[in-house]
Amino acid sequence: MGLTAGCAALGLATALVAGCADAPTDSTAQSPEATDTRRVPITVVERGGQTMALVPITIEGEGPFTFVLDTGASASVVDDDVARELNLPRTGERRPISGVIGTDRAPVVEMRDWRAGEVTLEATDAAVIDMPESSQTQPIEGLLGQPIEGLLGSDVLSGFGRITIDYTNEALLLPAR
């Protein structure tokens, strides 16, 4: 290696080492648990090679109701029986919804006072649909015949900025607001 190439390599190595000197060496420095994180217990169930995370949701002080944690759902959904039982206020809007069986328009209710575990969720509007009875259609191992009563979607989850789903320890980790 020539003198110029050797000096350039030494300079590059020095810059890289200097840059590393300021980097945090504690692996928890950027971990979600290093900040003020709130833990919501979830139940992880498996069916046919698929995994679902179920979140206990309390609405208007009632419940908990079983919601599927669905980061792929753009909007949260509540089962029509739950909306009726709690007399959730309807907005008068009908929101387009789509799924594997097609597209429809669903009524919308206001979700003002609701929680995931002990974590208060921002008020939102949720579409009302008839959620399939998991115990009658396709039993889910670990669900024990409990119906799925809604979907917790990315409309609410994105408000936290960053979430962590810890499948191993069955927890949804949400930063404090």
Side-chain angles (χ1 to χ4, degrees):
M1 175 180 334
L3 184 57
T4 306
C7 287
L10 180 59
L12 180 58
T14 302
L16 289 174
V17 170
C20 292
D22 290 333
T25 55
D26 179 6
S27 63
T28 63
Q30 296 180 3
S31 165
E33 279 114 346
T35 62
D36 188 16
T37 301
R38 296 155 74 194
R39 182 182 190 280
V40 177
I42 61 174
T43 302
V44 177
V45 295
E46 294 185 24
R47 177 180 49 89
Q50 296 180 2
T51 303
M52 277 196 298
L54 306 174
V55 183
I57 299 289
T58 304
I59 306 169
E60 305 292 335
E62 300 292 327
F65 300 100
T66 303
F67 277 47
V68 173
L69 179 66
D70 191 348
T71 59
S74 60
S76 295
V77 171
V78 63
D79 182 67
D80 61 348
D81 289 337
V82 173
R84 190 172 28 261
E85 174 186 330
L86 299 178
N87 198 27
L88 296 176
R90 294 194 179 237
T91 66
E93 176 188 357
R94 293 188 68 80
R95 182 174 292 161
I97 57 167
S98 55
V100 294
I101 59 171
T103 301
D104 201 355
R105 296 185 69 76
V108 177
V109 293
E110 295 176 14
M111 304 274 282
R112 296 182 198 143
D113 177 19
W114 64 318
R115 297 174 174 271
E118 295 299 317
V119 177
T120 300
L121 301 173
E122 291 289 325
T124 193
D125 292 341
V128 177
I129 64 170
D130 182 15
M131 299 292 293
E133 292 287 331
S134 62
S135 59
Q136 294 175 359
T137 55
Q138 298 177 335
I140 300 170
E141 179 183 330
L143 194 53
L144 304 175
Q146 188 173 357
I148 293 173
E149 296 159 306
L151 303 176
L152 182 59
S154 62
D155 59 327
V156 173
L157 297 171
S158 64
F160 289 95
R162 176 177 68 190
I163 66 166
T164 301
I165 305 168
D166 183 345
Y167 290 96
T168 303
N169 296 307
E170 295 193 326
L172 171 62
L173 305 174
L174 301 170
R177 295 188 228 200

